[in-house]
Amino acid sequence: MDETGHVSNNDQISQATKNEQNKGKASDESQRKKAVRKKSQVDKENLHQSVSILPKRKRKPLKSNSNISDHYPKKKHAVTKQNEFYSMSKRPCGYCLIINNYNFEGPSLKNRKGTDKDKDSLTRVFENMFFKVEVRADLRASDMQNVIKEFAERDHSELNAFVCCILSHGEKGSVLGIDGKQVPIHELTQPFAECRKLASKPKLFFIQACQGNEAQQGVWMADGQESTTEDKTFEEDAYIPASHSDFLIGMATVEQYQSFRHTEDGSIYIQELCKQLEIGCPRKEDMHSILTRVNRAVSSQIIQRSNKQMPEVRYTLTKKLVLPMKQTSS
């Protein structure tokens, strides 16, 4: 610029050159950025294509860790199973009292021929189930009550269970001593309900006695039902309340009806009971299943051409009961 304030031609040319150079630089920078963006876009497209060309990998199913998946369920199942069954691990397992009334006083009650067969069968079976069997024979009513009290007062702390088998004449709700006097069934079970050392342990009663004087009549059945006992000689042989917990009471017959005993072969009920115990216990079957088969087998027989007998089981068990059985060589 000269002194008069005018811009010289040289200055104008220099300024124009600078402007052109700045425009060129801006244009180059713009071109460079476009090139970078284009390259980035191309790289992304190539990467996507290369990924899509790769085959998809098959996902393998997850393998369970056997140490974990097997351990915890088994442990939980074992605890549950243990809580469902009564413990029967003690040896001896418990006492088994057999009251066997054969010789009755007075003319009104006949001697119970065949009862010794039942006593022998019960002794064999319960000894094989690790019970300590004791037999008391021909007891009057007061003697029956005394022996029950004696066994209830024994030390059962190291035992698992108690069994009582009563073979006698009976009436509704009671069994008879050889003197003909009644002993109510609840008076036989009550002392064991009060026995603290048998608390939460199974207490089993099996009663072979009538519960009344009526005879159950047979009914018509489909062809194929055969009687294998109708030609044998039978005699009449009783209401049993299962009070409190952990009792099982197997009765030879339902209330008001007679039960039958063969004069040589023993009673239908006790013989079938022993048979099914010897079959079911080695298989680890529970008592409910075994006694259901006893009911079915006894009730299917026809006695003296027209009579029937229907056993009954009453129980207040709180767990499954599986009785042990010695393995006998065949």
Side-chain angles (χ1 to χ4, degrees):
M1 179 179 294
D2 58 15
E3 295 179 353
T4 59
H6 294 283
V7 178
S8 65
N9 291 336
N10 290 336
D11 291 337
Q12 291 178 351
I13 294 171
S14 176
Q15 185 65 35
T17 302
K18 288 181 181 180
N19 292 338
E20 288 295 332
Q21 288 175 350
N22 290 335
K23 287 181 181 180
K25 289 180 180 180
S27 177
D28 291 343
E29 183 65 20
S30 177
Q31 291 295 329
R32 188 182 66 79
K33 289 182 179 180
K34 287 181 180 180
V36 170
R37 286 197 297 269
K38 186 174 182 180
K39 184 176 183 302
S40 176
Q41 183 66 29
V42 172
D43 290 342
K44 288 182 180 179
E45 292 176 356
N46 292 338
L47 178 61
H48 177 72
Q49 291 175 358
S50 64
V51 171
S52 62
I53 293 173
L54 291 175
K56 291 185 177 179
R57 187 173 62 180
K58 217 172 185 181
R59 298 187 67 180
K60 295 181 180 180
L62 293 175
K63 293 183 179 180
S64 63
N65 187 326
S66 59
N67 292 332
I68 296 177
S69 62
D70 292 342
H71 176 69
Y72 287 101
K74 284 184 178 179
K75 186 175 182 181
K76 182 178 180 181
H77 177 71
V79 172
T80 303
K81 186 175 181 181
Q82 182 181 4
N83 292 334
E84 288 180 354
F85 289 82
Y86 287 104
S87 173
M88 289 289 137
S89 59
K90 302 290 186 180
R91 299 294 179 266
C93 193
Y95 291 109
C96 174
L97 168 64
I98 300 176
I99 297 177
N100 183 31
N101 286 344
Y102 173 84
N103 293 298
F104 279 77
E105 302 171 352
S108 59
L109 294 172
K110 296 180 180 179
N111 292 341
R112 299 182 62 255
K113 296 179 181 180
T115 189
D116 287 341
K117 179 76 171 181
D118 290 343
K119 178 259 297 180
D120 292 340
S121 297
L122 289 168
T123 299
R124 181 190 72 250
V125 169
F126 281 100
E127 283 182 348
N128 285 335
M129 291 194 290
F130 304 99
F131 281 85
K132 185 176 180 180
V133 178
E134 295 187 29
V135 179
R136 303 295 174 90
D138 296 336
L139 301 182
R140 293 181 173 86
S142 59
D143 295 330
M144 293 176 67
Q145 292 170 319
N146 289 337
V147 75
I148 287 293
K149 182 179 179 181
E150 172 197 334
F151 274 79
E153 292 176 351
R154 289 190 179 185
D155 185 5
H156 301 270
S157 58
E158 296 300 319
L159 304 174
N160 290 131
F162 173 76
V163 176
C164 180
C165 305
I166 300 176
L167 313 173
S168 188
H169 289 304
E171 296 179 2
K172 180 180 177 181
S174 65
V175 293
L176 304 182
I178 61 170
D179 53 0
K181 294 183 179 179
Q182 298 183 22
V183 180
I185 299 298
H186 69 84
E187 290 186 9
L188 299 176
T189 60
Q190 184 63 29
F192 296 97
E194 297 172 354
C195 178
R196 292 185 178 182
K197 293 180 180 179
L198 279 172
S200 302
K201 298 178 181 180
K203 296 161 278 286
L204 315 181
F205 285 76
F206 297 101
I207 314 294
Q208 170 57 44
C210 291
Q211 290 197 58
N213 297 320
E214 297 182 30
Q216 295 188 45
Q217 298 299 311
V219 296
W220 289 101
M221 300 186 69
D223 290 340
Q225 177 71 21
E226 296 181 358
S227 171
T228 58
T229 60
E230 61 181 11
D231 294 329
K232 295 183 179 180
T233 302
F234 289 89
E235 294 181 349
E236 302 167 2
D237 259 315
Y239 179 76
I240 302 177
S243 60
H244 306 292
S245 64
D246 305 297
F247 275 86
L248 183 151
I249 303 180
M251 299 173 288
T253 185
V254 294
E255 186 177 331
Q256 295 183 346
Y257 290 97
Q258 300 168 342
S259 61
F260 292 89
R261 165 182 37 83
H262 191 268
T263 54
E264 295 178 1
D265 299 336
S267 64
I268 296 174
Y269 174 68
I270 294 297
Q271 292 302 312
E272 190 64 38
L273 171 65
C274 292
K275 174 184 174 181
Q276 294 300 336
L277 286 172
E278 290 180 315
I279 293 173
C281 289
R283 299 176 182 172
K284 307 299 182 185
E285 294 184 13
D286 66 279
M287 285 298 293
H288 182 269
S289 300
I290 292 173
L291 293 177
T292 298
R293 285 205 305 273
V294 172
N295 286 357
R296 182 167 64 248
V298 172
S299 64
S300 66
Q301 298 188 45
I302 299 176
I303 307 158
Q304 294 178 331
R305 300 185 182 278
S306 62
N307 294 327
K308 303 274 285 183
Q309 180 175 326
M310 182 67 243
E312 183 178 3
V313 183
R314 299 182 181 183
Y315 65 91
T316 58
L317 298 180
T318 57
K319 299 180 182 180
K320 292 183 180 180
L321 176 59
V322 176
L323 294 176
M325 177 71 77
K326 294 178 183 178
Q327 296 296 330
T328 56
S329 56
S330 55

